[in-house]
Amino acid sequence: MAKAVIINGSPTPGSRLTAVMAHSEQMLTNAGFEVERIDVSGLPAEDLIHTKFESESIVKANGLVAEADAVIVASPVYKASFTGVLKTFLDLIPQKGLAGKIVLPLFIGGSLAHLLSIDYSLKPVLSSMGARHILGGVYAVDAQVARTEQGGFDMDEVLVERLNAALDELVLETRYRAERNS
């Protein structure tokens, strides 16, 4: 069974990014993937800030990344880049910790003004960590994810279509690699 991990770089539990990640997790589960999630803001702040590689929480999170065939990196966009809490965690992943993995960036921001933040802020960092199979990614705008009165979310149909297409590509690429390597 293929394994995927979603790295949640949002410092805010229950943000609109939650809907995007939940949809991704459900789709991957339906495709037969075992899916884990790392909520970076839930990791001990001291371990992140003081780069405690040996911390039990960091070792466990890095183990999930190491075991994964596919990695989704999800973050809101602040000031044209991904969150600082996500960067502190990425700094703790081993230098070539993303080598051989299919990586899918998922970003959400207030406007289209930061559409290229995936290409200009995240992809260079992922490449420096050994990622060579970085998919195009999905950039969503806050307005595409509406909160419901029941406390859930409704995603815009166009966003769902783009997200599904990206996740289909992730599934196909991951399966292709698995077949090629077996």
Side-chain angles (χ1 to χ4, degrees), residues 39-67:
D39 293 310
V40 179
S41 66
L43 295 172
E46 186 168 314
D47 295 350
L48 292 167
I49 298 299
H50 294 289
T51 58
K52 293 187 175 181
F53 290 96
E54 72 288 346
S55 152
E56 183 180 329
S57 298
I58 300 303
V59 169
K60 181 179 176 188
N62 280 341
L64 293 175
V65 174
E67 293 171 2

Side-chain angles (χ1 to χ4, degrees), residues 2-148:
K3 293 182 180 184
V5 65
I6 299 172
I7 301 173
N8 173 15
S10 177
T12 310
S15 70
R16 286 176 168 83
L17 184 61
T18 304
V20 175
M21 290 184 300
H23 181 85
S24 301
E25 186 171 351
Q26 186 62 54
M27 229 183 125
L28 290 174
T29 300
N30 291 346
F33 279 63
E34 180 182 323
V35 183
E36 298 282 347
R37 184 154 75 181
I38 300 167
D39 293 310
V40 179
S41 66
L43 295 172
E46 186 168 314
D47 295 350
L48 292 167
I49 298 299
H50 294 289
T51 58
K52 293 187 175 181
F53 290 96
E54 72 288 346
S55 152
E56 183 180 329
S57 298
I58 300 303
V59 169
K60 181 179 176 188
N62 280 341
L64 293 175
V65 174
E67 293 171 2
D69 302 296
V71 177
I72 293 176
V73 181
S75 179
V77 175
Y78 299 139
K79 301 194 189 305
S81 187
F82 54 94
T83 62
V85 71
L86 177 58
K87 179 65 165 98
T88 59
F89 177 67
L90 293 176
D91 287 345
L92 288 164
I93 294 175
Q95 184 62 41
K96 297 298 177 190
L98 296 179
K101 302 187 186 307
I102 306 297
V103 181
L104 174 64
L106 300 178
F107 275 18
I108 190 165
S111 74
L112 285 175
H114 303 296
L115 176 65
L116 295 176
S117 58
I118 290 173
D119 292 327
Y120 291 107
S121 69
L122 184 65
K123 285 185 178 181
V125 174
L126 299 176
S127 292
S128 76
M129 299 169 64
R132 297 294 174 262
H133 306 283
I134 306 170
L135 303 180
V138 175
Y139 180 89
V141 177
D142 287 344
Q144 293 178 301
V145 183
R147 293 184 188 277
T148 65

Side-chain angles (χ1 to χ4, degrees), residues 2 67-70 98-102 133 172-182:
E67 293 171 2
D69 302 296
L98 296 179
K101 302 187 186 307
I102 306 297
H133 306 283
L172 288 172
E173 290 292 331
T174 303
R175 287 182 178 155
Y176 172 76
R177 282 183 140 283
E179 289 172 10
R180 204 176 87 204
N181 293 332
S182 61

Side-chain angles (χ1 to χ4, degrees), residues 154-171:
D154 280 330
M155 290 196 303
D156 178 88
E157 187 177 316
V158 173
L159 173 58
V160 171
E161 289 173 7
R162 290 177 36 241
L163 190 54
N164 287 348
L167 291 163
D168 285 343
E169 182 181 13
L170 177 111
V171 168

